[in-house]
Amino acid sequence: MGRGKIVIQKIDDSTSRQVTFSKRRKGLIKKAKELAILCDAEVGLIIFSNTDKLYDFASSSVKSTIERFNKTKMEQQQLVNPASEVKFWQREAETLRKELHSLQENHRQLTGEQLNGLGVKELHNLESQLEMSLRGIRMKKEQILTNEIKELTRKRNLVHHENLELSRKVQRIHQESVELYKRANAKSNKNGLGNHELVDAVDESHAEVRLQLSQPEQSHYETSSKS
């Protein structure tokens, strides 16, 4: 008499259920090993018992098998369902179009256009937005003007410092001219020059001072004294 067909359903008796689980688990792992060896396949098997006990088998490693599964599954989904990706980008494009339309409408309202359909609340919100924008513009304008004033003050101080340096140089040159005039006057008195000659000597000394600023030259007075 042959064996009767076993009905595939949950075994009520816990002892029989545990015995059946142990036998079939071992048989399943054995078949997985045979499949991996005979067919050179990568096989991974994970089993949790009803008591949350883990049993696993992998021809290489469970981790690498799972990573390969996830990668292959994702690639297959992209190849099989390209239409879903197209629909996704279509939804994104529609969302961006709506946002652009809303921004354009808000811009027109801020410039005073298309205000007929707005109520008191919408107009109040629009007025608040304009006040905030004007406040930001004023603050930016004040900042720019403050920076320009600081820059002009810095340049003014720099020019003032340069003017002081030039004044000191002019004063020093004037002092040197006075000293030269005094030496020329003393030298002329020593040599007994007349008033006319003294005036000529002073003129020549002044000319010598003026020429000294550009290119020194030997004066006529020094040439005559050497001779």
Side-chain angles (χ1 to χ4, degrees), residues 206-219:
H206 282 289
E208 182 182 1
V209 171
R210 288 193 298 270
L211 291 175
Q212 190 176 4
L213 296 176
S214 58
Q215 183 177 359
E217 293 181 0
Q218 188 175 8
S219 64

Side-chain angles (χ1 to χ4, degrees), residues 48 54 56 72 103 131 136 143 166 173 185 188 198 206 213:
F48 286 97
L54 171 65
D56 62 74
T72 305
L103 290 173
E131 289 178 353
Q143 181 181 358
L166 290 174
I173 292 172
N185 189 18
S188 63
L198 180 60
H206 282 289
L213 296 176

